[in-house]
C-alpha cells in the first residue's frame, strides 16, 4: 500500500452505485435509504438535508437557506438552484436606527438582531429540487420520513454537534429568556435537555417532537404549509413580537430561483459555482488570478510545494484581491435588474472571460515579497467597464452517474438563536451579511437577498458543445472560509494529485477579519476577511512552523489554530467520478467533522 502524502484518519471510499457524504452518519443513512427506495441523487440529498436539520441543528435548520448544483449525467449539463430568502419588504435601516439602535454594531447589523431574519428559503428549495430534478419515484413526503423518525424517536447526538450546542448555551438562553421559564423548560429544553438548561453530551439521546410535528405537516401539505399556513403564522408572530418586520406576505411571495452556474477553466477542468448573491465567484476569481500569474511567469506552478511559504502567500494574496472584488460583484442580481435595469450577469461573464484583460491587470497587484495592505486595496474593474457598480455541506451521487452538491445553512450557530414556539426550529441570521453603507450594492433593503457565503462546488471536464463530464462534486462549509477552501481543495486534487480523502484532510488556511479592529470596518460588501484594516491568516496545525515564520516575514498576521477551534477551516465532502464505464466513484469526508462517506450497494 503506497504511503499517503500525510496522515489521514480515514480511507478513500469507493462505490459503483452511488455515495452519500455528509457531516452526520445518521443523515448519510437517510440518503442511502432513499437511494435504496429508487430515488436519485436529488431525492437522497433532500432526505440528507432534512436529517441534518435534526441532527446538526446548530449549523442547519428549517429556518435557514439552501443552494445546490446538479450534474445530470444523461444530458451532461450542470444546473443550479438559489434557495436563499429575501429580507422583509418593510425592512428599513432608518427604522432600525430609530427603534433598535442597539442592533447596529460597528457599522454592521448584529448577528442576533431580529432584523437579520430573512425569509427561510431551504424548505422551498428542497421541494423545488425534487419537483425539477427528482427521479419521480420519491415524493417530498418520502424524502422527509427519515428526518421525522429521527426527531420523533430520538437520535444519539454526535461529538462535534454536541460541542456546538455546548458553546451556544448562553446565547440560546439569553435570546429566548424573554419567552419566560415555561418556554425555556419546554421548547428550549429540546436543545438544552440537561438539568440547569445544560447542553447535551456526545451520545445522549435527543428527541424533538415539535420539530417532528412540523416535518409531518410539511410532508403532508408540502412547502405551502411553511410559507402560507400555520407554520408561517408562527414564524411571523415570533418575529413581530420581537419588533421585526417579517410578514405573512413576505413568506407567501417567496420562491427559489433556478440559475445557470458560473464557471472558470483551470488545469484542464472547470470549477462551477452558484452566481451572486452567492460568493462562489471569489473562488473563480482566485483561480483566474493564479492562472494569470502563472502565464506571466510571476509564479511557476510546477515548482510550488504544497503548503510552502511561496504557495500559501500566492493563495492568501489572490484571495484577498478576490474578496475585495466581492464587495462590488456579490449582491442580489435580481434586485439590481428590477430597480436599475442593470444586468450584472453580463459583467460577471466578462470578468471571468480570459480575453477581457481583467485577470492580467488585477494580478499586477501581487508581490512575491510582501503582503498587500488592506487599506490600499481597491476593487478591480474591467478595463473597458461601463458598469461600476454555521452551515452544512454534503454531496450525493447515484447509480445513473448523477451528482448533487448541496449546502444548507442558518449562518451563525443556531442563526439568530430565535426559536419558533412549538415548531422546534430556529431562524437564521443571514441578514447580518447586508452592508449598512448606502454606497454598497449589498446595502440593506426590503425584499432583497444579501451577500451569501454558502456555496456548493462542482468540477467537470469540458467535452465541447456545452457538455461536461463530472469530475467531482465537493464543498466545504464555514462562512467566509468556503471559497478559500474551494480553491485549496481544487488545487489539492488537480495541482498536487491528491485523492479525495487526502485532498479534504490536508491542513488548510483560512483568512478572517482581525477580531480587534471592528472599528476599521467601513461597511462595504460583507464583513469578510478584508473588511477591516488587517486580515488574520488562520493556519491549521500540521503546517510547518517554519512556514508560519516565513509568512510573518512577508507581513502577514498569522494565528496557528488547534483542536476543536479548527472548525474555522470548515468541514468538507468530496465525491469524485473515477470512471464512467464502468461507473466508479471515490469519496472523502472531512476528519474535522463527525461524518463519513458511505457507499450505496
Amino acid at each position: 500500500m503506497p504511503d499517503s502524502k500525510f496522515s489521514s484518519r480515514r480511507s478513500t471510499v469507493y462505490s459503483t452505485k452511488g455515495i452519500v457524504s455528509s457531516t452526520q452518519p445518521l443523515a448519510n443513512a437517510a440518503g442511502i435509504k432513499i437511494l435504496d427506495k429508487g430515488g436519485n441523487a436529488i431525492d437522497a440529498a433532500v432526505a440528507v438535508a432534512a436529517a441534518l436539520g435534526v441532527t446538526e441543528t446548530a449549523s442547519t435548520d428549517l429556518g435557514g437557506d439552501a443552494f445546490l448544483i446538479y450534474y445530470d449525467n444523461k444530458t451532461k449539463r450542470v444546473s443550479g438552484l438559489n434557495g436563499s430568502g429575501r429580507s422583509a419588504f418593510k425592512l428599513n435601516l432608518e427604522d432600525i436606527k430609530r427603534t433598535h439602535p442597539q442592533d447596529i454594531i460597528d457599522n454592521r447589523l448584529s448577528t442576533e438582531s431580529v432584523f437579520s431574519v430573512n425569509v427561510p428559503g431551504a424548505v422551498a428549495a428542497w421541494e423545488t429540487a425534487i419537483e425539477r430534478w427528482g427521479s419521480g419515484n420519491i415524493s417530498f413526503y418520502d424524502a422527509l420520513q427519515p428526518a421525522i423518525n429521527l426527531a420523533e424517536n430520538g437520535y444519539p447526538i454526535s461529538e462535534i454537534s454536541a460541542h456546538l450546542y455546548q458553546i451556544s448555551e448562553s446565547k440560546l438562553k439569553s435570546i429566548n429568556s424573554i419567552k419566560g421559564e415555561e418556554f425555556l423548560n419546554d421548547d428550549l429544553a429540546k436543545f438544552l435537555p440537561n438539568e440547569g438548561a445544560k447542553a447535551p453530551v456526545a451520545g445522549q439521546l435527543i428527541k424533538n417532537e415539535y420539530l417532528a410535528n412540523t416535518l409531518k405537516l410539511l410532508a403532508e401539505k408540502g412547502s405551502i404549509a411553511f410559507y402560507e399556513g400555520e407554520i408561517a403564522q408562527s414564524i411571523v408572530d415570533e418575529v413581530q413580537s420581537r419588533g421585526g418586520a417579517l410578514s405573512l406576505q413576505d413568506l407567501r411571495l417567496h420562491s427559489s430561483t433556478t440559475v445557470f452556474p458560473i464557471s472558470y477553466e483551470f488545469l484542464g477542468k472547470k470549477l462551477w459555482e452558484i452566481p451572486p448573491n452567492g460568493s462562489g465567484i471569489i473562488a473563480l476569481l482566485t483561480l483566474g488570478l493564479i492562472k494569470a500569474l502563472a502565464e506571466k511567469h510571476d509564479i511557476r506552478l510546477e515548482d510550488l510545494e504544497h503548503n510552502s511559504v511561496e504557495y500559501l502567500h500566492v493563495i492568501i494574496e489572490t484571495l484577498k484581491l478576490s474578496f475585495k472584488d466581492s464587495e462590488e460583484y456579490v449582491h442580489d442580481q435580481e434586485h439590481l435588474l428590477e430597480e436599475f435595469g442593470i444586468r450584472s450577469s453580463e459583467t460577471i461573464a466578462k470578468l471571468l472571460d480570459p480575453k477581457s484583460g481583467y485577470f492580467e491587470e488585477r494580478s499586477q497587484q501581487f508581490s512575491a515579497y510582501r503582503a498587500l495592505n488592506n487599506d490600499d486595496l481597491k476593487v478591480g474593474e474591467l478595463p473597458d467597464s461601463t458598469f461600476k457598480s454555521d452551515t452544512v455541506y454534503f454531496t450525493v451521487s447515484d447509480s445513473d452517474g448523477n451528482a448533487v452538491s448541496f449546502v444548507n445553512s442558518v449562518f451563525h450557530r443556531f442563526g439568530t438563536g430565535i426559536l419558533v414556539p412549538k415548531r422546534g426550529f430556529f431562524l437564521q441570521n443571514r441578514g447580518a451579511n447586508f452592508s449598512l453603507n448606502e454606497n454598497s450594492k449589498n446595502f440593506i433593503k426590503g425584499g432583497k437577498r444579501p451577500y451569501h457565503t454558502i456555496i456548493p462546488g462542482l468540477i467537470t471536464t469540458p467535452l465541447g458543445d456545452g457538455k461536461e463530464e463530472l469530475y467531482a462534486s465537493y464543498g466545504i462549509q464555514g462562512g467566509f472560509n468556503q471559497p478559500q477552501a474551494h480553491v485549496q481543495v481544487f488545487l489539492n486534487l488537480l495541482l498536487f494529485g491528491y485523492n479525495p480523502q487526502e485532498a479534504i484532510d490536508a491542513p488548510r488556511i483560512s483568512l478572517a477579519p482581525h477580531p480587534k479592529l471592528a472599528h476599521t470596518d467601513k461597511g462595504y460588501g460583507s464583513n469578510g476577511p478584508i473588511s477591516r484594516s488587517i486580515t488574520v491568516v488562520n493556519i491549521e496545525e500540521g503546517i510547518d512552523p517554519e512556514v508560519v515564520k516565513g509568512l510573518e516575514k512577508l507581513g502577514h498576521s498569522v494565528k496557528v489554530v488547534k483542536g476543536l477551534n479548527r472548525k474555522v477551516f470548515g468541514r468538507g465532502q468530496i465525491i469524485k467520478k473515477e470512471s464512467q464505464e464502468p461507473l466508479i466513484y471515490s469519496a472523502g469526508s472531512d476528519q474535522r467533522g463527525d461524518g463519513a462517506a458511505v457507499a450505496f450497494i
Side-chain angles (χ1 to χ4, degrees):
M1 177 180 175
D3 290 336
S4 292
K5 296 177 178 64
F6 41 81
S7 177
S8 289
R9 289 171 51 200
R10 305 173 183 178
S11 299
T12 299
V13 172
Y14 295 91
S15 174
T16 61
K17 293 186 68 177
I19 293 177
V20 179
S21 189
S22 84
T23 51
Q24 293 292 325
L26 293 171
N28 290 340
I32 293 293
K33 179 174 287 190
I34 296 302
L35 289 177
D36 195 42
K37 289 171 70 73
N40 67 2
I42 285 287
D43 300 325
V46 171
V48 173
L52 285 167
V54 178
T55 58
E56 198 169 323
T57 311
S59 301
T60 185
D61 208 345
L62 295 180
D65 289 336
F67 288 82
L68 71 87
I69 299 178
Y70 177 58
Y71 175 78
D72 186 322
N73 190 44
K74 186 176 181 179
T75 63
K76 301 292 184 183
R77 296 189 185 276
V78 179
S79 304
L81 190 70
N82 181 334
S84 63
R86 299 161 181 84
S87 59
F89 278 94
K90 293 183 179 179
L91 187 68
N92 182 284
L93 180 57
E94 293 307 314
D95 289 342
I96 299 173
K97 288 179 178 179
R98 185 178 66 257
T99 63
H100 292 73
Q102 71 278 9
D103 285 12
I104 298 174
I105 302 173
D106 294 318
N107 210 24
R108 298 282 177 185
L109 198 61
S110 165
T111 58
E112 297 178 359
S113 171
V114 69
F115 298 102
S116 70
V117 177
N118 290 344
V119 174
V123 173
W126 300 349
E127 188 175 56
T128 299
I130 286 182
E131 290 174 348
R132 196 155 296 166
W133 299 296
S135 65
N137 301 324
I138 299 295
S139 66
F140 191 48
Y141 178 95
D142 297 327
L144 295 184
Q145 293 310 304
I148 291 170
N149 290 335
L150 288 168
E152 188 169 43
N153 299 321
Y155 68 95
I157 193 168
S158 60
E159 182 180 354
I160 291 176
S161 188
H163 172 70
L164 295 176
Y165 277 55
Q166 289 157 15
I167 61 177
S168 304
E169 272 183 19
S170 59
K171 170 182 175 176
L172 296 182
K173 286 187 277 192
S174 173
I175 292 295
N176 293 288
S177 61
I178 64 170
K179 306 296 293 184
E181 285 297 317
E182 183 178 347
F183 183 86
L184 297 179
N185 293 330
D186 182 16
D187 290 71
L188 193 60
K190 303 294 183 290
F191 305 93
L192 304 178
N194 294 322
E195 187 176 353
K198 294 293 183 181
V201 296
Q204 183 173 349
L205 190 71
I206 303 297
K207 293 183 180 181
N208 189 338
E209 62 267 29
Y210 289 147
L211 179 56
N213 291 335
T214 299
L215 289 167
K216 287 178 182 178
L217 198 56
L218 296 177
E220 293 166 4
K221 298 184 178 181
S223 67
I224 193 171
F226 192 90
Y227 295 98
E228 295 188 32
E230 58 188 82
I231 302 172
Q233 188 67 60
S234 297
I235 293 170
V236 169
D237 287 348
E238 182 58 27
V239 169
Q240 292 189 356
S241 73
R242 295 170 179 263
L246 204 65
S247 70
L248 287 172
Q249 182 184 27
D250 293 323
L251 275 85
R252 186 174 66 253
L253 293 177
H254 173 76
S255 62
S256 301
T257 305
T258 302
V259 296
F260 185 70
I262 54 178
S263 65
Y264 187 78
E265 188 172 339
F266 185 40
L267 300 176
K269 307 295 179 186
K270 280 184 182 178
L271 174 59
W272 295 84
E273 303 280 357
I274 294 292
N277 61 314
S279 58
I281 190 174
I282 294 170
L284 305 184
L285 293 176
T286 301
L287 292 182
L289 290 170
I290 294 172
K291 184 177 182 180
L293 291 172
E295 289 177 342
K296 293 190 303 175
H297 305 293
D298 291 344
I299 60 173
R300 289 176 56 85
L301 287 175
E302 62 272 22
D303 292 341
L304 290 176
E305 296 181 11
H306 186 260
N307 282 351
S308 63
V309 174
E310 295 77 13
Y311 173 71
L312 292 180
H313 179 62
V314 170
I315 298 296
I316 293 165
E317 297 298 87
T318 52
L319 280 170
K320 285 167 68 176
L321 289 166
S322 300
F323 268 105
K324 184 63 181 179
D325 290 353
S326 75
E327 293 183 351
E328 180 70 11
Y329 302 113
V330 179
H331 48 74
D332 187 339
Q333 294 190 35
E334 289 182 354
H335 187 271
L336 206 65
L337 179 60
E338 291 170 4
E339 187 161 344
F340 302 107
I342 298 173
R343 293 187 180 276
S344 55
S345 58
E346 297 174 358
T347 299
I348 298 300
K350 290 179 182 178
L351 282 174
L352 298 174
D353 184 349
K355 298 178 182 178
S356 70
Y358 167 79
F359 289 118
E360 181 179 0
E361 183 169 312
R362 189 65 166 146
S363 63
Q364 293 175 13
Q365 302 296 312
F366 173 80
S367 169
Y369 308 106
R370 64 181 182 278
L372 288 163
N373 185 323
N374 286 4
D375 290 334
D376 295 335
L377 285 181
K378 300 291 188 296
V379 171
E381 299 178 41
L382 290 163
D384 61 347
S385 177
T386 58
F387 169 59
K388 177 74 168 68
S389 0
D390 263 24
T391 303
V392 290
Y393 173 81
F394 57 96
T395 179
V396 180
S397 62
D398 61 32
S399 57
D400 292 324
N402 307 310
V404 59
S405 184
F406 209 119
V407 62
N408 231 82
S409 174
V410 289
F411 198 26
H412 290 77
R413 289 193 310 275
F414 293 97
T416 53
I418 296 174
L419 179 57
V420 182
K422 303 298 182 286
R423 299 298 177 189
F425 65 89
F426 293 88
L427 297 173
Q428 41 90 328
N429 56 354
R430 191 58 65 172
N433 256 356
F434 278 122
S435 168
L436 302 191
N437 187 321
E438 62 183 9
N439 294 316
S440 169
K441 291 185 178 63
N442 188 46
F443 179 64
I444 189 170
K445 196 168 185 179
K448 186 176 181 181
R449 283 169 161 158
Y451 179 120
H452 234 288
T453 59
I454 65 174
I455 53 170
L458 194 92
I459 306 172
T460 62
T461 304
L463 298 177
D465 296 325
K467 295 186 177 182
E468 308 287 333
E469 185 64 59
L470 177 68
Y471 176 80
S473 175
Y474 83 118
I476 303 91
Q477 57 83 259
F480 295 100
N481 169 71
Q482 292 177 65
Q484 306 179 55
H486 277 210
V487 169
Q488 293 172 78
V489 173
F490 179 95
L491 294 174
N492 287 348
L493 290 166
L494 294 166
L495 182 59
F496 298 107
Y498 290 177
N499 67 43
Q501 191 60 55
E502 291 172 334
I504 209 76
D505 276 351
R508 298 195 284 265
I509 64 168
S510 184
L511 312 187
H514 197 292
K516 296 182 179 179
L517 297 176
H519 62 280
T520 65
D521 184 354
K522 296 180 175 62
Y524 286 105
S526 191
N527 55 339
I530 50 80
S531 60
R532 302 175 186 177
S533 291
I534 294 177
T535 294
V536 172
V537 181
N538 291 298
I539 301 280
E540 190 169 15
E541 65 175 328
I543 292 178
D544 191 337
E546 291 303 313
V547 170
V548 174
K549 294 178 182 177
L551 291 173
E552 289 175 332
K553 286 181 181 179
L554 290 172
H556 296 291
S557 176
V558 177
K559 177 184 178 183
V560 177
V561 181
K562 303 178 181 180
L564 288 174
N565 289 328
R566 292 162 65 213
K567 64 181 182 293
V568 70
F569 304 106
R571 306 189 297 279
Q573 321 291 329
I574 304 177
I575 297 176
K576 180 173 177 256
K577 184 184 281 187
E578 294 288 347
S579 68
Q580 176 69 25
E581 294 290 344
L583 180 61
I584 298 176
Y585 296 111
S586 62
S589 180
D590 207 315
Q591 61 171 319
R592 300 162 187 85
D594 289 320
V598 178
F600 173 51
I601 60 173

